[in-house]
């Protein structure tokens, strides 16, 4: 018996199947999809590998053929479907099969096996009591451990340490003496307690919901023929979640499973509670705040069939369900659905593939679909299903305030008069307010009035942000901090001025203008501790504050029924990002944030403050007109031949020497120019990246545009290979991405 394996070495040169013979004693248990250990290379070091095929014969000469050393898990960690998906990922994202297979595996898989995490009394040591009273110091740490284990029968080592407040060493000593035994035991850690969640009964659907549900759910019928991909375009507060829940219920009743993808930022207790409240312990959750071990446990629970619904960020697409029925991708426009590390997969593309392999249904949901997806839907790739009305039938009333006019009126505060009045009104009515500003810290710009010097990070091409509570200047790129200067470091003048507003300044000004208001702030600085996010969230939900100030953390997916006013302090931040998607991102953000207002009985309103009231992303979010925005945007994309009408390749070269980075990327540019004989591709001259230095590393980018994706990939990677042949790039990091959602 011969096993074909892929080595867990991420290198193009060894990224192919290697043959190994299977020793007789492993023949019975070895299956494709298993992890094994094999000897590799001249000195035969042991390497982890994945069995992709089992066969009878090999071309490798018998004396050269090596043997599989061991099986690692005793079961296949890859299903045939996942192995197929890995091959697709390799080709599509220009990666190695090894990297793709490793990307599919949960973190913590290798970790849990070998760790001795559980202890019990060695049955062989018959003289238990004796052991305590003779051999060990009475009341000493070892004796305490032993007593605890006699009482409990056995315990996880971390619990022993916690209970007794001791270190590892007395446990190790006891094990060495043979009095206790330590071994690895699977202890399933649960990310939540299902019984703590209130039951969430099915709601009576509104007619629009019923119609949408019927159209989608017939695609779950076994005999259904036709499109199995849906774009559910439902305005904010239109009740998309209830539709997801009904679809999942149907899949479960058919003995199938569901994957629900949500952006990490909206994976809030509220989101989880709706699913757990409906399906109780059939639901599992995975996210990056869980430990590797916890994430592995959730993977294991899915694999064993203990759960039928997995909720998580993009990596949850790799959940090893036996019989996948439906994949839901909520807030499909979020850029986090595309990975920024190799393999740079797009989860929507993977969902399409899984649908092709397994017949599962794919539902993308959003109030503000990405231009890319909406365009695909109009071209027949997705069935477009719409929810045009809010559940309460009242879209938020959106007002735009021209901040230029405020200046003329002499208002220099971060709040327009209109927003100030609205906040005061809301406080008087005891209704809740959300204030949104996509910048944390206090002042975003600190400079000297005498000489004009701007305080900026030495290591990054970025201004320092002033943080009021720590009285320090912080670089938001590298995290570097310095004490806030009292005098200008250049001219010594005392006239240091703070400009630009972040969330701390908004908080400060609210406290000044409305001293009695109870205020909460949610941004990176207030949520660094575990659970602080949840605490702020539930505190606001419980009505313990009147005003919630925050960054994009509060923009997405939250459903606070008593919020009736949303203030967007500076709508212009995202318009001027210098990315061709700026308008799209800005429209999405404004619409999503405004959508937090008036979601229940009380009518809601949003006030958008801007210096560009005539910009179309603002005009159409004011009228809440997605289609008009889309028409405008798609026109612009077509005229300039931007995606979805073309594909963009972006190469980012980074390195310590600015000269070398610029030189090397320019050489790539020249190679490309030379090879672009038929001028099929648009090759742009390299430029410094938007942030051209981070932590003393210089960054330059080069963009290539083409209509045909395959041609573009072949061309650019061919040119990079050519460059590598002519130029030593050991001091340069080359980061290449196809159709990235954020241009560096
Ligand atoms: P979306 O995700 O479309 O923004 P949600 O699914 O969060 O909207 O629904 C908005 C609010 O309306 C939620 O509080 C939800 O519980 C409620 N809701 C949804 N459907 C119904 C229904 N059929 N009857 C009553 N309330 C509903
Ligand atoms: Zn100065
Ligand atoms: Zn910095």
């Amino acid at each position: 018996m011969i096993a074909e394996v892929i080595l867990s070495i991420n290198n193009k040169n060894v990224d192919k199947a290697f043959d190994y013979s299977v020793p007789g004693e492993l023949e019975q248990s070895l299956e494709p999809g298993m992890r094994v250990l094999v000897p590799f290379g001249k000195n035969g070091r042991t390497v982890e590998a994945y069995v992709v095929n089992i066969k009878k014969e090999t071309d490798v000469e018998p004396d050269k053929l090596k043997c599989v050393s061991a099986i690692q898990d005793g079961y296949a960690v890859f299903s045939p479907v996942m192995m197929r998906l890995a091959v697709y990922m390799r080709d599509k994202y220009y990666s190695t099969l090894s990297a793709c297979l490793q990307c599919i595996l949960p973190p913590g898989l290798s970790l849990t096996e070998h760790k001795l995490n559980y202890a019990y009394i060695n049955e062989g040591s018959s003289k238990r009591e004796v052991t305590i009273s003779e051999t060990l110091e009475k009341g000493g740490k070892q004796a305490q451990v032993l007593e605890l284990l006699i009482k409990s029968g056995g315990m996880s080592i971390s619990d022993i340490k916690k209970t007794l407040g001791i270190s590892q060493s007395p446990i190790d000593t006891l094990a060495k003496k043979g009095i206790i035994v330590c071994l690895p035991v699977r202890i399933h850690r649960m990310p939540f307690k299902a019984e703590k969640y209130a039951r969430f009964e099915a709601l009576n659907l509104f007619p629009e919901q019923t119609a949408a549900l019927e159209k989608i759910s017939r695609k779950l019928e076994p005999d259904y023929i036709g499109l199995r991909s849906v774009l559910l375009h439902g305005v904010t507060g239109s009740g998309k979640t209830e539709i997801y829940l009904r679809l999942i219920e149907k899949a479960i009743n058919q003995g199938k499973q569901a994957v629900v993808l949500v952006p990490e930022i909206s994976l809030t207790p509220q989101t989880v509670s709706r699913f757990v409240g409906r399906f109780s312990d059939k639901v599992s959750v995975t996210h990056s705040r869980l430990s590797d071990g916890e994430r592995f446990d959730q993977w294991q629970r899915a694999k064993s069939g203990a759960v039928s619904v997995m909720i998580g960020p993009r990596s949850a697409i790799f959940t090893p369900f036996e019989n996948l029925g439906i994949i839901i991708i909520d807030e499909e426009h979020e850029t986090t659905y595309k990975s920024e590390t190799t393999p740079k997969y797009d989860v929507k593309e993977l969902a399409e593939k899984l649908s092709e392999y397994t017949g599962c249904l794919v539902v993308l949901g959003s109030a503000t679909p990405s231009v890319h997806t909406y365009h695909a839907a109009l071209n027949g790739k997705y069935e477009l299903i719409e929810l045009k009305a809010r559940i309460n039938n009242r879209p938020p009333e959106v007002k735009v305030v021209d901040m230029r006019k405020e200046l003329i009126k002499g208002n220099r505060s971060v709040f327009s008069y209109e927003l100030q009045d609205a906040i005061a009104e809301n406080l008087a009515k005891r209704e809740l307010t959300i204030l949104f500003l996509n910048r944390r810290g206090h002042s975003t710009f600190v400079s000297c009035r005498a000489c004009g010097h701007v305080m900026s990070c030495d290591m990054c091409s970025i201004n320092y942000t002033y943080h009021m509570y720590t009285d320090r200047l912080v670089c938001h790129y590298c995290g570097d901090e310095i004490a806030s200067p009292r005098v200008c470091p250049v001219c010594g003048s005392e006239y240091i001025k703070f400009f630009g507003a972040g969330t701390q300044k908004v908080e400060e000004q609210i406290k000044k203008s409305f001293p009695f208001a109870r205020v909460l702030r949610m941004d990176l600085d207030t949520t660094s501790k575990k659970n602080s996010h949840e605490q702020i969230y539930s505190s606001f939900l419980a009505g313990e504050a009147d005003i919630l100030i925050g960054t994009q953390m509060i923009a997405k997916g939250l459903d606070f029924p008593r919020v009736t006013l949303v203030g967007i302090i500076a709508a212009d931040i995202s318009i001027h990002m210098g990315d061709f998607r700026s308008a799209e991102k800005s429209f999405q953000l404004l619409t999503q944030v405004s959508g937090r207002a008036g979601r229940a009985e009380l009518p809601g309103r949003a006030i958008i403050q801007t210096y560009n009231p005539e910009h179309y992303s603002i005009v159409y979010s004011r009228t809440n007109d997605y289609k008009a925005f889309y028409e405008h945007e798609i026109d612009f994309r077509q005229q300039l031949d931007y995606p979805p009408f073309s594909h963009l390749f972006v190469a980012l070269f980074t390195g310590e020497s600015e000269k070398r980075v610029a030189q090397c990327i320019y050489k790539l540019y020249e190679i490309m120019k030379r090879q672009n004989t038929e001028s099929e591709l648009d090759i742009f001259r390299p430029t410094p990246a938007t942030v051209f230095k981070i932590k003393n590393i210089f960054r330059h980018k080069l963009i290539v545009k083409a209509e045909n994706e395959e041609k573009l990939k072949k061309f650019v990677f061919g040119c990079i290979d050519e460059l590598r042949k002519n130029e030593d790039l050991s001091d340069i990091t080359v980061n290449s991405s196809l159709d990235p959602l954020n241009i560096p």
Side-chain angles (χ1 to χ4, degrees):
M1 194 160 140
I2 304 292
E4 269 181 48
V5 309
I6 299 288
L7 303 170
S8 67
I9 300 174
N10 184 15
N11 182 325
K12 275 225 149 61
N13 299 324
V14 293
D15 195 50
K16 55 188 172 214
F18 289 91
D19 287 357
Y20 284 84
S21 74
V22 180
E25 70 271 18
L26 297 185
E27 275 193 8
Q28 279 297 312
S29 34
L30 195 72
E31 293 171 34
M34 280 185 162
R35 287 196 310 162
V36 291
L37 295 176
V38 296
F40 183 72
K42 274 189 217 101
N43 41 18
R45 89 186 147 103
T46 304
V47 176
E48 182 177 301
Y50 314 110
V51 180
V52 291
N53 191 22
I54 290 178
K55 57 189 183 181
K56 293 228 166 69
E57 276 156 39
T58 176
D59 301 333
V60 181
E61 288 159 31
D63 59 321
K64 291 236 172 92
L65 191 65
K66 289 182 198 157
C67 213
V68 172
S69 327
I71 294 178
Q72 275 193 282
D73 312 279
Y75 57 89
V77 293
F78 298 106
S79 65
V81 166
M82 285 300 161
M83 287 207 279
R84 210 172 148 193
L85 192 67
V87 172
Y88 167 79
M89 287 166 72
R90 175 195 62 194
D91 298 339
K92 173 87 184 176
Y93 307 115
Y94 204 79
S95 178
T96 62
L97 189 53
S98 181
C100 296
L101 287 167
Q102 286 176 57
C103 168
I104 290 173
L105 285 183
L109 179 64
S110 35
L111 199 141
T112 38
E113 284 308 312
H114 311 291
K115 205 165 157 193
L116 305 177
N117 58 358
Y118 195 82
Y120 66 96
I121 306 272
N122 188 353
E123 292 307 325
S125 71
S126 53
K127 309 167 281 179
R128 291 181 171 195
E129 323 301 309
V130 185
T131 327
I132 292 183
S133 62
E134 284 169 11
T135 343
L136 305 177
E137 178 203 337
K138 214 171 174 193
K141 285 183 183 152
Q142 295 179 33
Q144 285 179 26
V145 172
L146 208 54
E147 257 173 82
L148 192 64
L149 286 179
I150 289 169
K151 255 189 255 155
S152 61
M155 235 174 146
S156 93
I157 290 177
S158 66
D159 282 347
I160 298 176
K161 290 198 281 194
K162 240 187 264 159
T163 313
L164 298 177
I166 56 164
S167 71
Q168 178 85 24
S169 81
I171 301 172
D172 289 345
T173 314
L174 283 169
K176 246 185 243 147
K177 289 181 183 166
I179 297 169
I180 68 168
V181 178
C182 296
L183 78 172
V185 162
R186 167 124 309 123
I187 304 163
H188 275 297
R189 288 142 291 198
M190 309 288 265
F192 58 84
K193 291 202 169 65
E195 63 275 13
K196 276 215 286 196
Y197 285 86
R199 173 112 194 109
F200 180 42
E201 298 294 346
L203 302 166
N204 287 324
L205 296 184
F206 282 90
E208 217 187 9
Q209 282 175 310
T210 308
L213 179 65
E214 271 171 14
K215 277 192 223 155
I216 307 174
S217 76
R218 56 158 208 245
K219 294 172 186 289
L220 278 170
E221 298 297 338
D223 55 356
Y224 172 79
I225 301 170
L227 260 187
R228 280 208 164 77
S229 307
V230 173
L231 170 60
L232 178 60
H233 176 206
V235 298
T236 55
S238 58
K240 295 186 283 293
T241 313
E242 186 62 28
I243 294 181
Y244 302 153
L245 291 167
R246 298 293 186 98
L247 291 167
I248 294 169
E249 184 181 6
K250 180 158 180 172
I252 291 178
N253 289 340
Q254 293 174 341
K256 297 192 170 179
Q257 299 91 34
V259 164
V260 183
L261 303 182
V262 289
E264 183 105 40
I265 204 169
S266 10
L267 196 53
T268 57
Q270 182 179 34
T271 314
V272 174
S273 72
R274 291 187 184 172
F275 289 85
V276 179
R278 186 70 53 86
F279 304 115
S280 67
D281 56 5
K282 285 204 190 76
V283 180
S284 181
V285 180
T286 177
H287 52 80
S288 66
R289 279 162 295 158
L290 297 182
S291 69
D292 286 355
E294 284 171 320
R295 280 162 80 182
F296 171 69
D297 288 348
Q298 305 323 309
W299 182 87
Q300 191 74 37
R301 292 172 74 209
K303 193 167 176 68
S304 68
V307 296
S308 307
V309 184
M310 181 66 81
I311 308 176
R314 63 170 183 255
S315 61
I317 192 86
F318 303 122
T319 304
F321 281 134
E322 240 345 70
N323 194 2
L324 187 59
I326 183 169
I327 301 171
I328 290 164
I329 306 182
D330 193 28
E331 312 286 355
E332 71 81 29
H333 59 276
E334 285 288 322
T335 55
T336 52
Y337 284 130
K338 186 158 180 162
S339 170
E340 290 193 333
T341 53
T342 322
K344 296 182 176 171
Y345 67 89
D346 180 333
V347 86
K348 284 178 261 178
E349 287 166 350
L350 298 191
E352 287 310 307
K353 280 291 137 180
L354 287 177
S355 170
E356 187 186 313
Y357 302 159
T358 68
C360 72
L361 175 60
V362 177
V363 178
L364 311 186
S366 176
T368 51
S370 68
V371 167
H372 189 271
T373 301
Y374 201 78
H375 182 255
L378 296 185
N379 285 292
K381 192 170 163 214
Y382 301 102
E383 184 168 330
L384 180 60
I385 292 174
E386 295 177 313
L387 295 172
K388 293 184 177 150
R390 272 194 164 190
I391 290 296
N392 66 8
N393 229 338
R394 264 193 304 240
E397 177 204 334
V398 184
K399 277 220 156 160
V400 173
V401 176
D402 186 342
M403 290 306 273
R404 292 170 303 196
K405 292 191 183 145
E406 294 292 309
L407 272 183
I408 295 168
K409 285 186 226 159
N411 179 6
R412 300 187 156 270
S413 127
V414 292
F415 307 119
S416 58
Y417 290 132
E418 184 149 9
L419 183 55
Q420 283 173 28
D421 290 348
I423 295 171
E425 246 172 65
N426 244 40
L427 285 169
K429 284 193 290 185
R430 306 204 149 272
E431 292 175 11
L432 305 187
T433 300
I434 283 182
L435 296 177
F436 169 81
L437 178 58
N438 212 1
R439 275 190 307 219
R440 66 193 173 95
H442 183 273
S443 307
T444 51
F445 190 78
V446 181
S447 76
C448 165
R449 274 216 170 154
C451 75
H453 173 71
V454 176
M455 318 292 159
S456 61
C457 175
D458 282 345
M459 294 182 287
C460 311
S461 56
I462 280 293
N463 298 338
Y464 276 127
T465 297
Y466 174 62
H467 282 239
M468 180 175 72
Y469 297 100
T470 50
D471 193 27
R472 292 175 82 80
L473 301 185
V474 182
C475 169
H476 283 184
Y477 274 83
C478 71
D480 182 48
E481 287 187 16
I482 59 166
S484 183
R486 298 288 163 251
V487 295
C488 171
V490 174
C491 73
S493 147
E494 284 174 8
Y495 294 106
I496 309 274
K497 260 299 253 188
F498 297 80
F499 300 92
T503 44
Q504 293 181 354
K505 186 166 194 166
V506 173
E507 184 179 20
E508 180 193 41
Q509 297 221 345
I510 282 285
K511 284 180 172 163
K512 251 187 218 154
S513 313
F514 307 101
F516 298 109
R518 297 164 305 162
V519 182
L520 284 169
R521 195 177 94 234
M522 195 190 281
D523 55 31
L524 208 62
D525 301 309
T526 60
T527 54
S528 52
K529 276 196 231 101
K530 203 172 174 173
N531 294 332
S532 46
H533 191 264
E534 280 81 350
Q535 271 162 17
I536 297 173
Y537 167 81
S538 27
S539 166
F540 193 55
L541 190 67
E544 290 163 17
D546 308 299
I547 300 175
L548 174 65
I549 299 164
T551 54
Q552 57 182 5
M553 279 186 182
I554 61 169
K556 321 276 168 88
L558 295 181
D559 189 28
F560 296 111
R562 289 175 53 211
V563 171
T564 54
L565 172 65
V566 164
I568 296 168
I569 307 298
D572 309 315
I573 298 174
S574 47
I575 298 177
H576 301 299
M577 283 185 311
D579 184 320
F580 74 91
R581 285 195 189 81
S582 302
E584 178 180 357
K585 287 180 184 168
S586 150
F587 176 81
Q588 287 165 350
L589 198 56
L590 296 177
T591 310
Q592 296 284 348
V593 180
S594 311
R596 299 308 113 211
R599 292 169 69 85
E601 290 83 38
L602 303 167
R605 57 177 163 163
I607 294 178
I608 301 179
Q609 303 190 150
T610 175
Y611 290 94
N612 296 270
E614 41 312 283
H615 191 277
Y616 66 102
S617 66
I618 291 184
V619 170
Y620 295 127
S621 51
R622 180 172 61 76
T623 52
N624 201 359
D625 191 343
Y626 176 83
K627 278 186 188 141
F629 171 78
Y630 171 81
E631 293 301 334
H632 191 125
E633 182 66 18
I634 201 79
D635 227 45
F636 152 74
R637 303 275 180 98
Q638 185 151 31
Q639 275 171 27
L640 294 177
D641 202 20
Y642 273 128
F645 300 100
S646 65
H647 293 275
L648 282 192
F649 168 84
V650 181
L652 180 70
F653 280 33
T654 58
E656 280 171 30
S657 151
E658 182 173 18
K659 197 169 150 212
R660 284 279 300 151
V661 170
Q663 243 171 21
C664 291
I665 202 159
Y666 200 80
K667 280 187 181 156
L668 177 64
Y669 173 68
E670 285 181 328
I671 294 172
M672 286 181 165
K673 280 290 214 202
R674 238 187 350 261
Q675 305 218 344
N676 186 21
T677 40
E678 284 162 42
S679 303
E680 271 182 288
L681 305 106
D682 260 342
I683 304 163
F684 297 89
R685 191 175 276 277
T687 58
T690 314
V691 182
F692 76 88
K693 187 172 78 166
I694 297 179
K695 261 192 173 171
N696 283 333
I697 301 292
F698 291 91
R699 304 148 50 84
H700 283 233
K701 68 172 181 240
L702 182 159
I703 297 180
V704 186
K705 203 165 71 175
E707 215 161 278
N708 184 303
E709 181 183 337
E710 284 312 309
K711 267 191 198 159
L712 176 61
K713 267 195 285 192
K714 246 180 111 183
F715 176 84
V716 293
F717 289 111
C719 290
I720 292 175
D721 282 346
E722 165 100 22
L723 176 68
R724 284 189 193 283
K725 268 183 225 146
N726 304 326
E727 183 79 31
D728 176 13
L729 291 183
S730 51
D731 58 336
I732 304 281
T733 304
V734 177
N735 189 323
S736 41
S737 21
L738 192 70
D739 293 325
L741 296 177
N742 301 302
I743 295 187

